[in-house]
Amino acid sequence: MAQMIALIGVVAPAASPVFAQDVAPALQRVEITGSSIKRVAKEGALPVQVINYETIEKSGITSTEQLIRSLSSNGTGADNMTSGNNVFGADADRVSGGASYASLRGLGPNSTLVLLNGRRIAAFGASAKAVDLNAIPLGAIQRVEILKDGASAIYGTDAIGGVINFILRTDYRGLEASLNDNFTEHGGGATRRLSLLGGVGSLQNDGFNLMGSVTYDNNDKLSSSQRSFANGFQPSRGLSPDTTGTPYANQLTGAGTALGTGFTRPGDSTTYLQANPLSFQGKCDTIPGMSQYQTALWKDVTAASRSTYSCAYDYGADYIISFPVERLNAVSRGTLQINADHKLFVEALYGHSKATAEFTPVQISTSLANGSAYPVGGAYYQDLSAYIPTFDKTKPIIYKWRANPWGNRTQENVTDNARLLVGAEGVVRNWDYRVGLSHGESTTKTALLDGYGYTSKIYSALGTGIINPWLLAGQSQTPEAMALVESTKFRGAFQHGKTKLTQLDGNVSGEIWQLPAGAVSMAVGFDLRREGYSFAQDVDATQILLSPGNAALSDASRDIKAVYTELLVPITKQLEVQLAVRRDHYSVFGDTTNPKISFRYEPANWLLFRGSANKGFLAPSFTQLYSAQLSQELPNGIIDPIGCPQHPGDPLYCAIPRLPYFTGGNPTLKPETSKQGSLGVVIEPVKGYSASLDYWAINSLNRILNRTPQVVLANAALLQNNIIRNADGTIAYVTAGWINAAGAKTRGADLSLRGEGKIDGYSWNANLDGTYTQSFKFAEIEGQQYKEYVGNFYTRDLYLRWKHNASLSVGRGDWSAMLIQNYSSGYNDQLPNGGKGTPPAGFNPHVKSYTKYDLSATYSGIKNTTITIGIQNLLDTDPSFTAHNVDEVVGAGWDPRVADPRGRSLNILLKYKFL
């Protein structure tokens, strides 16, 4: 495991052009990203991006999530906190708890290795999906280093997409405090950070150093109602809500109910299955957030017999864009310099976060069977005889309702992360050595604060008729009704998860013999890990209506034992070759061997060629393997793609009222395997001006994907075994969950441009760091042809053609300023109505590109004080419009995977050094 990674002078052009770079002192022997061998800093070879903390501060970045999302090499996926605040979507993490993940190359969080000082930390406690970026103590970071190349042979089999290494400050002396406040112009979403950093002792002079840092972060809530672009009802542009769960309930049909098994309208032979008096009157929009259901936009997705006389609800515009989060991170490191060649260190990390997630109120479909139907004679009994002559007011009413009286479903997710590391490093007879023993844990506890209740109590309460599901604008429930609602609620501890990671690792490296071109160096190392995960409910979740979370998973663990070796061979004075191989043994999957070869060729001092080829191996996560089945339900009106054409007009096939499905782990999953490589060139024709271009390609097999019920139904002919049918041919339920898909192929290039100089006493620095994705192809189901996803809408990741960060900084004396541009190219939007039929005239099939500018100025002319004032999103640019279905991707009319919803904001940073 490499730690203390430094960017080398020759490869500096490949470092992040948006951010300044840390360059190792001349002739200092350091570890280079992608290698375990210490050597002179200028000898490095692989593309590495380095971000120092000073530039992070000047950029107005206040969270690790923001930092990682600014990387052009990071995927444009649903791994952010906003997208994670969802129970839908292809890879929806139902216990996200405010977690955020990295996903280099868009290969998924599991394929990106996140390290702290070169060593692993425990995955997120709730789901064990990957390392939660919120666990990283950003206030104590000295720099962040990103290896944009597969490194499974050096760091571990899961480093397929690359490595992100957060380097803490070491040997720090003094005491400094910083305060960072960021306020949005349009309200909501303010962020605050208070950080204290201190250290005593000098390794060189005193033989020891003790450093500690404490950082407190607080993020305010930002609601969709605070942003005009969060609008899910724009039918002329192809966007409208695909739901009939409305605050003013839609009546349903069923045997023994007031609407019976269906109704017809004069001159229309169609049998309709839902009704709402506001729809008949054209007054759906008299209730805030409601509208007439736009049947034409969804007629091939949701049965028209259910939607024509129904109201819809723009619940996407009720999402919480960002919810309240508090974080407390503390880190300390003590180092003892025994002598010039040996030192011991102890490192302790603790993080505490509390995220209060909110979802829209629960959606309820009542029925006779569960006793929740509205009773005949109830004070609010809704008689539709004026619109439906066959309406039988001697029968109870069943309905579909967005139950606002219960309030937003609110969860409090508290996560505690801790890691203790003891290590030693030094030199013995010209051989560098490193060894460390660490143990880390991440525990997440979820409590339900509001909006949830016991299923049986809710149904019984609704069956009394005291609660009114048909409130008009300005009306409210009676005190008696609200007391009844309150009596059904569940509040308290709900579920908890815990991950554990114990690691013993070490290596030695040195020169083994001399060749005419120079010394051959070698490293050998070992890595022993035990990973564990458990997840359980504190109460019987099946008793709580639409309870969140994943299914329980008993204690699971696995051992990984690895040995690796590496050679650096100078073929000529200009050509160096790196050879590496790593062998891992998984207690669950057996052995895997992953080699790597790379080269660096410098024919002239202004020209460098480099390249690599390697293999990777990604084991399934505990959740993907072992989580139990979880029962869920699809919305009303689902169409059976096989049964409906055979039984046209039959609602049991063409407008399925309530279709259950199951998701869960798959113990038969196989690991993903990959082959990948890169080839690049770096030029520096004039000192201070450089450019690099690195082409990369990654092929994977047995890609692990979450097969949603929508995917199963869309591929019904290929997945008939996953559609369980009753004796009469109707669908009983759908089996979804994790599968091994065919694989994936992706190609692209990273471009870096850098220039710097001085004019009339002003120093300037201009940079651009961009990623071009040429292709990203994969098949959802084994046996299908690969499909191209670059530039096209997709429910997991958006594979954008081009992303870049560019910056221009200018400084003189105590003043400096920085202008940053973030750009994401546009893409083809999701088509309305599942891509069938003709979209409305106002629908634009192409989502526009998104560009954001940030400007900051820094003054350090006051003793011990630094002041930075910045404006983020300088032009107050709204997210680009998209008509995607909010059931699949969060964001009504916009997409949080691409854009910043906060709008223009003011960032103020004050830093004071006491010592």
Side-chain angles (χ1 to χ4, degrees):
M1 292 290 178
Q3 66 176 32
M4 310 309 299
I5 306 172
L7 183 67
I8 58 169
V10 169
V11 186
S16 168
V18 172
F19 304 101
Q21 289 128 39
D22 296 321
V23 181
L27 303 182
Q28 179 181 351
R29 284 157 46 83
V30 295
E31 286 187 9
I32 309 300
T33 300
S35 175
S36 297
I37 299 173
K38 281 190 175 183
R39 52 237 165 96
V40 176
K42 68 177 182 179
E43 296 179 5
L46 295 173
V48 181
Q49 182 171 341
V50 180
I51 308 168
N52 65 34
Y53 186 67
E54 178 183 1
T55 307
I56 294 173
E57 289 185 314
K58 289 183 178 180
S59 302
I61 290 174
T62 57
S63 71
T64 311
E65 176 184 285
Q66 283 181 294
L67 172 64
I68 298 304
R69 291 189 68 181
S70 71
L71 304 177
S72 65
S73 57
N74 193 60
T76 310
D79 303 306
N80 57 82
M81 293 173 66
T82 300
S83 295
N85 192 30
N86 190 19
V87 296
F88 295 103
D91 282 327
D93 186 351
R94 290 170 55 84
V95 287
S96 63
S100 177
Y101 308 103
S103 176
L104 292 178
R105 305 298 183 208
L107 294 173
N110 291 354
S111 297
T112 299
L113 182 56
V114 176
L115 305 175
L116 183 65
N117 272 4
R119 289 184 167 90
R120 295 172 182 257
I121 56 179
F124 181 50
S127 62
K129 183 175 181 178
V131 171
D132 177 15
L133 296 176
N134 293 303
I136 304 298
L138 194 60
I141 295 298
Q142 179 177 343
R143 64 186 183 275
V144 185
E145 301 171 343
I146 301 98
L147 170 63
K148 297 183 285 186
D149 182 80
S152 295
I154 303 297
Y155 296 98
T157 62
D158 47 355
I160 293 174
V163 179
I164 301 177
N165 195 359
F166 294 87
I167 306 298
L168 298 176
R169 301 188 190 208
T170 58
D171 202 17
Y172 178 82
R173 288 176 293 166
L175 178 65
E176 68 178 56
S178 64
L179 174 65
N180 193 327
D181 284 305
N182 191 293
F183 306 98
T184 63
E185 178 179 338
H186 305 294
T191 65
R192 304 168 189 85
R193 168 183 292 162
L194 178 63
S195 183
L196 187 65
L197 173 67
V200 296
S202 166
L203 291 178
Q204 185 175 2
N205 299 325
D206 305 318
F208 78 95
N209 178 259
L210 182 62
M211 182 211 75
S213 172
V214 179
T215 303
Y216 172 76
D217 296 273
N218 184 304
N219 296 356
D220 287 348
K221 180 169 72 173
L222 174 60
S223 300
S224 292
S225 60
Q226 295 174 283
R227 296 295 182 267
S228 60
F229 57 77
N231 176 9
F233 184 70
Q234 302 183 58
S236 64
R237 305 174 76 180
L239 175 63
S240 73
D242 180 26
T243 179
T244 56
T246 51
Y248 187 95
N250 286 289
Q251 291 195 26
L252 306 177
T253 53
T257 69
L259 283 180
T261 57
F263 64 92
T264 60
R265 297 283 287 167
D268 186 351
S269 61
T270 303
T271 299
Y272 293 100
L273 304 174
Q274 286 186 199
N276 193 307
L278 297 181
S279 176
F280 289 120
Q281 300 171 48
K283 295 182 178 180
C284 288
D285 58 2
T286 59
I287 307 296
M290 282 176 45
S291 60
Q292 173 61 46
Y293 191 99
Q294 302 298 297
T295 299
L297 280 178
W298 299 106
K299 61 184 178 62
D300 294 301
V301 176
T302 298
S305 57
R306 289 201 175 274
S307 64
T308 301
Y309 294 109
S310 296
C311 296
Y313 176 56
D314 187 10
Y315 64 98
D318 269 353
Y319 272 119
I320 303 302
I321 292 177
S322 62
F323 40 83
V325 180
E326 288 185 87
R327 305 182 193 91
L328 177 66
N329 285 305
V331 62
S332 63
R333 181 182 174 98
T335 307
L336 178 64
Q337 190 78 49
I338 297 176
N339 54 42
D341 293 330
H342 305 282
K343 61 182 176 183
L344 302 175
F345 61 89
V346 178
E347 185 179 287
L349 166 72
Y350 173 73
H352 175 85
S353 68
K354 181 172 70 173
T356 307
E358 288 187 43
F359 302 92
T360 51
V362 66
Q363 181 176 264
I364 299 174
S365 293
T366 66
S367 71
L368 296 178
N370 59 32
S372 58
Y374 197 86
V376 176
Y380 311 111
Y381 188 90
Q382 190 179 68
D383 185 358
L384 298 186
S385 299
Y387 309 101
I388 303 172
T390 57
F391 187 88
D392 187 352
K393 56 187 177 183
T394 67
K395 300 289 195 307
I397 299 169
I398 60 173
Y399 53 90
K400 189 173 185 180
W401 184 40
R402 180 69 63 172
N404 285 353
W406 269 264
N408 282 352
R409 288 169 284 176
T410 307
Q411 309 168 22
E412 181 183 80
N413 302 280
V414 177
T415 300
D416 291 286
N417 297 283
R419 189 187 77 169
L420 181 65
L421 166 67
V422 179
E425 57 186 40
V427 181
V428 177
R429 295 185 179 180
N430 296 324
W431 283 79
D432 298 301
Y433 74 88
R434 259 188 328 104
V435 64
L437 174 64
S438 65
H439 178 76
E441 296 184 358
S442 177
T443 302
T444 299
K445 298 179 180 179
T446 299
L448 304 185
L449 304 185
D450 200 11
Y452 292 97
Y454 292 100
T455 304
S456 59
K457 290 184 177 181
I458 290 176
Y459 287 160
S460 295
L462 295 176
T464 64
I466 296 173
I467 299 169
N468 184 3
W470 298 290
L471 290 177
L472 293 171
Q475 294 181 336
S476 59
Q477 299 287 340
T478 65
E480 182 185 11
M482 290 308 299
L484 186 57
V485 168
E486 188 64 29
S487 71
T488 70
K489 288 186 178 182
F490 170 83
R491 291 187 175 95
F494 178 67
Q495 61 193 16
H496 58 276
K498 185 174 186 177
T499 61
K500 296 181 180 180
L501 173 64
T502 302
Q503 180 179 19
L504 174 64
D505 69 277
N507 66 39
V508 295
S509 65
E511 299 177 355
I512 55 175
W513 69 75
Q514 289 287 330
L515 292 178
V520 176
S521 299
M522 182 180 74
V524 292
F526 68 92
D527 180 11
L528 309 176
R529 304 195 309 275
R530 167 162 287 185
E531 300 172 348
Y533 176 56
S534 62
F535 182 81
Q537 277 83 28
D538 298 301
V539 297
D540 184 358
T542 63
Q543 302 301 309
I544 298 173
L545 184 63
L546 296 181
S547 61
N550 293 338
L553 189 157
S554 300
D555 287 347
S557 64
R558 61 188 179 200
D559 295 325
I560 301 99
K561 304 173 184 177
V563 292
Y564 58 92
T565 186
E566 177 188 352
L567 285 175
L568 282 177
V569 183
I571 307 300
T572 68
K573 292 292 185 181
Q574 294 79 30
L575 176 63
E576 178 184 83
V577 174
Q578 176 192 20
L579 304 172
V581 63
R582 179 184 178 106
R583 185 170 178 84
D584 291 76
H585 174 79
Y586 282 76
S587 58
V588 177
F589 298 104
D591 297 319
T592 175
T593 301
N594 296 281
K596 177 170 184 172
I597 181 171
S598 63
F599 76 92
R600 144 184 212 288
Y601 177 56
E602 189 179 5
N605 60 8
W606 58 271
L607 179 63
L608 169 71
F609 296 98
R610 61 190 178 201
S612 69
N614 52 89
K615 294 175 64 177
F617 175 97
L618 178 62
S621 70
F622 290 116
T623 301
Q624 292 168 344
L625 284 169
Y626 304 127
S627 62
Q629 280 199 331
L630 180 70
S631 177
Q632 300 175 73
E633 189 176 277
L634 285 165
N636 284 3
I638 292 295
I639 296 173
D640 180 350
I642 292 179
C644 185
Q646 298 172 357
H647 304 82
D650 188 339
L652 295 178
Y653 296 91
C654 303
I656 303 173
R658 306 175 76 176
L659 182 60
Y661 68 94
F662 294 89
T663 60
N666 180 0
T668 66
L669 283 176
K670 295 179 290 186
E672 291 185 25
T673 58
S674 68
K675 295 180 180 180
Q676 56 216 80
S678 65
L679 188 63
V681 59
V682 183
I683 60 173
E684 189 177 15
V686 179
K687 183 176 177 59
Y689 295 84
S690 59
S692 69
L693 181 67
D694 291 273
Y695 183 82
W696 45 267
I698 305 170
N699 293 347
S700 67
L701 293 175
N702 296 319
R703 191 173 185 223
I704 300 171
L705 294 178
N706 191 1
R707 180 173 48 198
T708 68
Q710 290 89 343
V711 170
V712 173
L713 291 170
N715 297 275
L718 291 174
L719 298 174
Q720 294 192 43
N721 291 336
N722 293 86
I723 301 175
I724 312 305
R725 297 184 180 273
N726 299 308
D728 61 359
T730 58
I731 300 178
Y733 61 90
V734 174
T735 300
W738 297 99
I739 63 164
N740 284 113
K745 299 177 182 179
T746 181
R747 309 281 187 271
D750 294 322
L751 174 67
S752 176
L753 305 174
R754 182 185 177 195
E756 61 183 9
K758 291 186 177 181
I759 300 177
D760 295 332
Y762 290 91
S763 60
W764 63 271
N765 188 294
N767 301 282
L768 182 143
D769 179 36
T771 296
Y772 174 83
T773 304
Q774 177 188 16
S775 176
F776 202 117
K777 296 180 179 180
F778 63 90
E780 283 275 10
I781 308 297
E782 183 71 42
Q784 289 182 335
Q785 289 188 344
Y786 280 34
K787 179 181 177 181
E788 180 63 73
Y789 286 91
V790 170
N792 296 307
F793 175 86
Y794 191 54
T795 55
R796 271 185 288 270
D797 285 68
L798 289 172
Y799 302 101
L800 303 182
R801 184 70 68 186
W802 175 257
K803 294 170 61 179
H804 78 244
N805 303 310
S807 73
L808 174 64
S809 59
V810 179
R812 182 177 182 178
D814 297 326
W815 288 92
S816 64
M818 177 182 290
L819 176 66
I820 296 176
Q821 181 197 60
N822 295 280
Y823 174 85
S824 298
S825 63
Y827 56 94
N828 295 324
D829 205 357
Q830 184 181 36
L831 295 175
N833 193 31
K836 301 176 182 179
T838 302
F843 173 70
N844 185 345
H846 188 74
V847 179
K848 295 179 180 179
S849 61
Y850 178 75
T851 306
K852 181 172 74 75
Y853 293 91
D854 302 327
L855 177 66
S856 68
T858 300
Y859 178 67
S860 56
I862 302 174
K863 183 179 180 181
N864 298 331
T865 302
T866 302
I867 302 173
T868 298
I869 298 178
I871 300 176
Q872 292 180 295
N873 198 346
L874 182 65
L875 303 182
D876 199 22
T877 304
D878 282 342
S880 301
F881 173 80
T882 165
H884 70 254
N885 184 357
V886 73
D887 268 356
E888 296 175 337
V889 174
V890 169
W894 71 288
D895 199 323
R897 296 176 295 177
V898 179
D900 176 15
R902 300 175 73 245
R904 185 158 46 215
S905 63
L906 175 66
N907 188 72
I908 302 174
L909 170 65
L910 302 175
K911 181 183 291 186
Y912 184 78
K913 293 186 177 182
F914 297 91
L915 300 172

